[in-house]
Amino acid sequence: MLEKLMEIIDKNDYKVDKELIEKAYNLAKDAHKDQKRESGEPYIMHPLEVACILAEMGMDSNTIAAGLLHDVIEDTNYSYEEIKNEFNEEVANLVDGVTKLGKIKYKTKEEQQADNVRKMLLAMAQDIRVIIIKLADRLHNLRTLKYMPAEKQKEKAKETLDIYAPLAHRLGMSKIKWELEDLALRYLNTQEYYDLVSKIAEKRIEREAYISAIIKDLNEKLLSAGIEADIEGRPKHFYSIYRKMVNKNKSIEQIFDLTAIRLLVDSVKDCYAALGIVHTIYKPIPGRFKDYIAMPKPNMYQSLHTTVIGPQGKTFEIQIRTFEMHRTAEYGIAAHWKYKEASAEDKEGDFANKLTWLRDILEWQKETSDAEEFMEAFKIDLFSDEIFVFTPKGVVINLPNEATPIDFAYRIHTDIGNRCIGAKVNGKMVTLDHKLKTGDIVEILTATVAKGPNLDWLNIVKSNQAKSKIRAWYKKAKRDENIVKGKEMLEKESKKQGVNFSEIAKGEAYDKILKRYNLHNNEDVYAAVGTGMLIASVVVSKLKESSIIDKAPTNEEIHKSIEEQISKTYQNKPNNVGVTVKGLDNIMVRYAKCCSPVPGDEVVGFITKGRGISVHRADCANMKNLPIEEKHKLVDVSWGNGKGEEYISEIQVKAEDRAGLLSEVMEIISESNFHLEALNAKSLRQNIASINIKLRINSVDQLRDIMRKIRRLNGVMEVYRMHN
């Protein structure tokens, strides 16, 4: 394996320090000498394979060395200082950065997940090579995933599709991305994967003969025009075909472009000349030509794409690019590594420009305290389609799909966004909520003096960057005004809920509010409520709940109250619903239909007259608006071990009204093996569909999982749990 690594280094000829690599190998081999992989092979095989992947990308000496050592700090007795002393600070920092990422898990607990992703983003910002090593590590782990338990296989595969494959795409590392996706599909949808492999293999000989004839024809025409080119058929990746089948509801027989033809030439001039020849041989399909050379993707990808009608009337795609563009298409950021190139300031600046998306994410994540909102926004940023528009001077600006002129203004400069009062698209005045399209020329009209953004813009803009800058303006420019406004809102809400805000805004509960939202004092809370970053009713309710606990009756009073009201009727009836009442056994409990609590929800008990304990969700409106004189009837309850119990919960889906939507939702429910209690679907105005679903489930984690799956369906706008 070490010889294989050295051969790859020699082949790429990137002046890698072989002595450093061999030294790292020897230390890693010694550190892991007593460890084995799940496959039974020596552990050193894993870091060696990771190093080989990094060497194939053409990474520098320190990165390959760190790949060999990436598990040493985490899994052996070696420390950061020892690695630093043995090698250098750069290698030690890379190993330490990957170690911090080693424990990232894609769990259902949003706060845990958000915290781990934030750590990953910060590590990437300090040195992007950290995530490149982590991607190589994840790739080899997926290659050897067959040795892991089935449950672990699915968990790793899902995490890969949700986080690591999109990150590889953002970094332009398509070769890594496609392999990660294909391997993940194999373990997440095993049956579909092998069916796909089988069906594609059935017509492989016929397909190869068809492509060979096209390649021969192209070669002859290009050579006669004096253009030398490497032409090869590239089979589409399984995950790409699978997604096309799912999204467009097509069978494998209905997808013709299972293979694309890639044409590599020496220069940009030859790219366009070759395109002209292709279009003289085969008829191009209108609307299917894309020029990513003139307008590169944000991940640095450059190529010409055209879909044409070939022999026998079959459509196929041709990609035309230079050899250098091809290397960038496969390895992305790794193909332009600044440590490997020159250290000139202009090249470092060019490198930084390629990571503007990471800078944008880091900027808006500072403004986002809510974990669930952060994760949703993060996934949208990774997965969202993009459009390319122009400034009046012809500069290309990339934006999220359906972006508005406001998004464009803030992408140009924060001050342009703050002073924006109107916009022209292709020379015509448009409204600020106008949806931009690729190719639009956008001109922003600005006021002489910045009046600042409108709060309504937060509901209009599509980019997290614009949202972050709008919130930042309000936070800074209108702080005093928002403090007064927020205080009034909190006092009004407190009065409505029957409490005094100054009395509940203290103690441990208040400290938790400050810590959760990264605030420091009362004024910060007032300002956050005034800007709309915090909801007054939520703040008051959380603090009021804590004060209820503080003023709750003693255990003796609770016992006495319960025993007086329900012991005669229910004392000897077993509690078999999975909930225990604080300090008491064999108490009859029932679930409140107003909020339908399920295991995993925070719950509270309410003593009812003649019907035992009624269990509500802690955020139930009926409990929040409970009259003061009824507070003493609240008791502590907790989830017990009622395994196998089922609970009814209801969710609502809002989506674009389209054919097949309901069947796709039903398919998800069926695959999840949940019992469907009731379903109600109807069309609303403006082509919007509403679907209410009642399910029997075992826990809130199951509910969140099915909501996430439905949320990913095409056209789905909202999926939320029904409240009172």
Side-chain angles (χ1 to χ4, degrees):
M1 281 300 301
L2 182 60
E3 287 176 8
K4 176 186 171 184
L5 174 59
M6 294 302 183
E7 283 174 11
I8 295 170
I9 291 170
D10 287 338
K11 182 181 176 182
N12 285 336
D13 190 26
Y14 284 134
K15 299 178 182 177
V16 171
D17 185 345
K18 288 187 179 180
E19 288 185 12
L20 182 77
I21 303 304
E22 194 162 351
K23 183 180 178 182
Y25 163 75
N26 289 328
L27 189 147
K29 184 179 179 182
D30 181 65
H32 295 297
K33 62 184 177 184
D34 298 323
Q35 297 173 350
K36 299 278 187 183
R37 297 272 286 169
E38 290 287 335
S39 61
E41 66 184 8
Y43 194 91
I44 187 61
M45 298 299 288
H46 169 63
L48 264 169
E49 288 284 7
V50 170
C52 286
I53 293 169
L54 293 169
E56 284 171 0
M57 294 184 207
M59 297 306 294
D60 58 294
S61 305
N62 287 337
T63 307
I64 298 172
L68 286 164
L69 300 166
H70 77 272
D71 279 331
V72 166
I73 293 179
E74 184 174 351
D75 294 336
T76 75
N77 293 325
Y78 277 90
S79 67
Y80 169 87
E81 288 298 328
E82 287 173 313
I83 299 298
K84 179 181 172 181
N85 293 335
E86 283 287 332
F87 296 90
N88 56 58
E89 188 173 3
E90 199 172 283
V91 170
N93 285 340
L94 287 170
V95 176
D96 188 50
V98 177
T99 301
K100 289 174 183 174
L101 300 187
K103 302 205 184 317
I104 287 184
K105 306 290 180 187
Y106 198 73
K107 297 180 179 177
T108 53
K109 294 181 180 178
E110 295 287 353
E111 283 190 37
Q112 175 79 33
Q113 185 186 67
D115 186 49
N116 284 331
V117 171
R118 280 188 168 105
K119 287 178 184 174
M120 179 171 67
L121 292 172
L122 289 171
M124 289 168 63
Q126 289 167 4
D127 196 325
I128 199 71
R129 290 176 297 177
V130 168
I131 197 63
I132 294 175
I133 297 169
K134 186 61 187 174
L135 287 171
D137 171 51
R138 175 51 58 109
L139 178 56
H140 183 249
N141 279 334
L142 253 67
R143 286 175 179 175
T144 56
L145 201 57
K146 63 182 178 181
Y147 299 107
M148 301 293 285
E151 186 179 340
K152 201 73 173 175
Q153 289 175 352
K154 288 191 178 296
E155 180 188 321
K156 290 289 183 186
K158 185 176 185 305
E159 181 182 69
T160 298
L161 283 183
D162 285 340
I163 293 181
Y164 292 102
L167 276 172
H169 172 69
R170 276 292 193 171
L171 295 170
M173 302 167 70
S174 64
K175 190 170 184 179
I176 304 293
K177 171 188 179 266
W178 287 121
E179 189 174 353
L180 285 174
E181 288 179 337
D182 283 355
L183 288 169
L185 177 65
R186 176 180 168 186
Y187 293 102
L188 270 182
N189 302 88
T190 306
Q191 185 63 46
E192 291 90 336
Y193 174 83
Y194 284 109
D195 284 349
L196 196 58
V197 172
S198 174
K199 286 176 180 176
I200 290 174
E202 283 175 10
K203 296 187 177 181
R204 183 174 61 86
I205 296 174
E206 177 188 330
R207 193 168 59 251
E208 286 179 353
Y210 180 77
I211 293 298
S212 295
I214 292 171
I215 290 174
K216 183 182 178 183
D217 192 21
L218 277 172
N219 253 324
E220 290 175 358
K221 297 289 195 300
L222 288 168
L223 285 173
S224 64
I227 299 173
E228 292 188 10
D230 277 3
I231 309 174
E232 61 178 359
R234 179 186 67 81
K236 288 286 183 75
H237 297 276
F238 295 125
Y239 185 77
S240 173
I241 298 169
Y242 172 77
R243 290 301 302 167
K244 188 174 286 189
M245 289 169 65
V246 171
N247 290 339
K248 297 186 178 180
N249 198 25
K250 288 185 176 182
S251 65
I252 188 74
E253 289 77 16
Q254 292 173 297
I255 299 175
F256 297 106
D257 56 338
L258 295 178
T259 304
I261 289 179
R262 182 183 292 140
L263 202 156
L264 303 181
V265 294
D266 291 321
S267 67
V268 172
K269 176 185 172 184
D270 286 346
C271 287
Y272 289 102
L275 176 69
I277 291 169
V278 167
H279 283 176
T280 59
I281 305 172
Y282 306 111
K283 186 176 180 180
I285 296 177
R288 295 297 300 271
F289 168 67
K290 294 175 182 174
D291 187 346
Y292 293 120
I293 293 179
M295 291 188 292
K297 290 186 177 183
N299 63 6
M300 300 160 290
Y301 179 86
Q302 286 185 289
S303 187
L304 298 176
H305 289 196
T306 184
T307 303
V308 298
I309 300 173
Q312 305 168 30
K314 292 182 179 179
T315 62
F316 63 94
E317 184 184 62
I318 295 182
Q319 300 172 355
I320 307 170
R321 64 183 75 139
T322 66
F323 290 96
E324 183 61 32
M325 288 174 189
H326 179 56
R327 173 158 183 81
T328 302
E330 291 204 319
Y331 295 117
I333 205 79
H336 293 271
W337 193 245
K338 72 172 182 179
Y339 295 91
K340 183 187 71 188
E341 294 180 320
S343 58
E345 288 184 12
D346 59 326
K347 290 194 175 181
E348 289 198 13
D350 180 56
F351 179 83
N353 288 336
K354 293 166 185 173
L355 295 175
T356 51
W357 64 272
L358 175 59
R359 189 173 64 247
D360 290 343
I361 290 178
L362 284 169
E363 186 177 326
W364 63 252
Q365 69 94 14
K366 293 175 186 175
E367 305 290 331
T368 309
S369 302
D370 184 81
E372 191 165 349
E373 181 188 341
F374 169 76
M375 284 311 303
E376 285 301 315
F378 175 68
K379 284 180 275 184
I380 288 169
D381 257 31
L382 285 184
F383 284 100
S384 64
D385 292 329
E386 290 170 313
I387 59 171
F388 300 89
V389 296
F390 297 91
T391 69
K393 292 184 177 180
V395 178
V396 180
I397 303 293
N398 65 290
L399 293 167
N401 192 33
E402 296 191 345
T404 66
I406 305 172
D407 293 289
F408 177 88
Y410 277 108
R411 181 57 60 88
I412 298 297
H413 195 278
T414 303
D415 188 51
I416 301 293
N418 290 338
R419 293 194 292 121
C420 174
I421 56 171
K424 288 183 179 180
V425 174
N426 303 324
K428 295 180 180 179
M429 289 294 296
V430 296
T431 58
L432 289 178
D433 62 354
H434 176 82
K435 292 178 181 177
L436 301 175
K437 300 187 296 293
T438 292
D440 283 345
I441 300 172
V442 187
E443 180 183 354
I444 299 298
L445 308 177
T446 57
T448 308
V449 180
K451 293 190 294 185
N454 190 312
L455 263 179
D456 290 339
W457 289 4
L458 287 172
N459 300 318
I460 295 173
V461 296
K462 296 296 180 184
S463 64
N464 288 307
Q465 179 204 29
K467 288 180 181 178
S468 171
K469 290 181 177 179
I470 293 167
R471 289 191 181 114
W473 189 90
Y474 271 91
K475 187 176 179 180
K476 181 180 179 182
K478 293 202 170 187
R479 179 173 170 81
D480 291 341
E481 182 182 325
N482 286 321
I483 287 173
V484 174
K485 182 181 175 183
K487 187 176 181 180
E488 289 175 355
M489 291 169 70
L490 284 167
E491 288 176 346
K492 184 178 179 181
E493 181 63 32
S494 299
K495 189 175 181 181
K496 182 180 174 182
Q497 296 193 30
V499 292
N500 186 315
F501 185 75
S502 60
E503 289 182 5
I504 60 174
K506 55 190 175 183
E508 187 178 337
Y510 192 63
D511 290 340
K512 285 181 180 178
I513 291 280
L514 296 176
K515 187 176 180 181
R516 176 181 173 83
Y517 297 107
N518 196 26
L519 304 172
H520 300 97
N521 50 43
N522 266 12
E523 286 194 347
D524 285 353
V525 175
Y526 296 151
V529 172
T531 59
M533 292 176 68
L534 285 181
I535 310 297
S537 59
V538 173
V539 175
V540 174
S541 295
K542 285 187 177 295
L543 293 173
K544 194 176 77 165
E545 285 168 17
S546 178
S547 70
I548 288 170
I549 294 169
D550 292 342
K551 297 174 184 178
T554 63
N555 283 341
E556 291 76 13
E557 291 171 328
I558 293 172
H559 279 247
K560 186 177 179 181
S561 178
I562 295 173
E563 287 168 359
E564 284 177 357
Q565 295 188 54
I566 60 176
S567 61
K568 291 179 182 178
T569 309
Y570 298 107
Q571 187 70 31
N572 296 315
K573 293 188 178 181
N575 167 16
N576 61 354
V577 290
V579 168
T580 58
V581 182
K582 184 176 180 181
L584 292 173
D585 297 320
N586 296 326
I587 295 299
M588 188 66 177
V589 301
R590 64 185 183 84
Y591 296 108
K593 291 183 180 179
C594 58
C595 56
S596 302
V598 297
D601 287 332
E602 289 185 30
V603 286
V604 64
F606 181 75
I607 302 168
T608 63
K609 191 172 183 179
R611 292 190 298 166
I613 302 293
S614 176
V615 179
H616 295 255
R617 281 162 50 187
D619 61 356
C620 175
N622 286 337
M623 294 297 98
K624 287 182 178 181
N625 299 321
L626 203 63
I628 300 269
E629 60 270 17
E630 297 280 295
K631 303 287 190 191
H632 70 282
K633 293 184 180 180
L634 292 168
V635 293
D636 286 343
V637 295
S638 59
W639 294 105
N641 298 315
K643 294 182 179 177
E645 290 296 324
E646 289 188 330
Y647 308 82
I648 295 177
S649 193
E650 184 177 3
I651 60 175
Q652 186 172 78
V653 180
K654 292 275 183 70
E656 294 175 10
D657 197 354
R658 62 175 175 82
L661 172 66
L662 189 58
S663 64
E664 289 175 20
V665 172
M666 292 297 294
E667 185 179 353
I668 288 173
I669 295 170
S670 176
E671 288 177 353
S672 302
N673 294 320
F674 292 135
H675 178 77
L676 182 64
E677 189 72 14
L679 185 141
N680 179 27
K682 58 185 177 182
S683 291
L684 306 176
R685 62 185 183 279
Q686 296 178 335
N687 200 34
I688 301 297
S690 174
I691 307 173
N692 281 55
I693 309 163
K694 277 189 179 180
L695 299 166
R696 285 189 177 273
I697 59 172
N698 300 117
S699 71
V700 74
D701 287 346
Q702 288 184 340
L703 190 64
R704 287 174 182 158
D705 184 55
I706 201 167
M707 287 170 70
R708 270 195 296 271
K709 288 177 180 176
I710 294 173
R711 195 176 284 125
R712 291 195 182 106
L713 291 177
N714 187 30
V716 170
M717 296 177 289
E718 290 182 295
V719 182
Y720 51 86
R721 190 171 170 188
M722 294 296 287
H723 290 265
N724 306 51

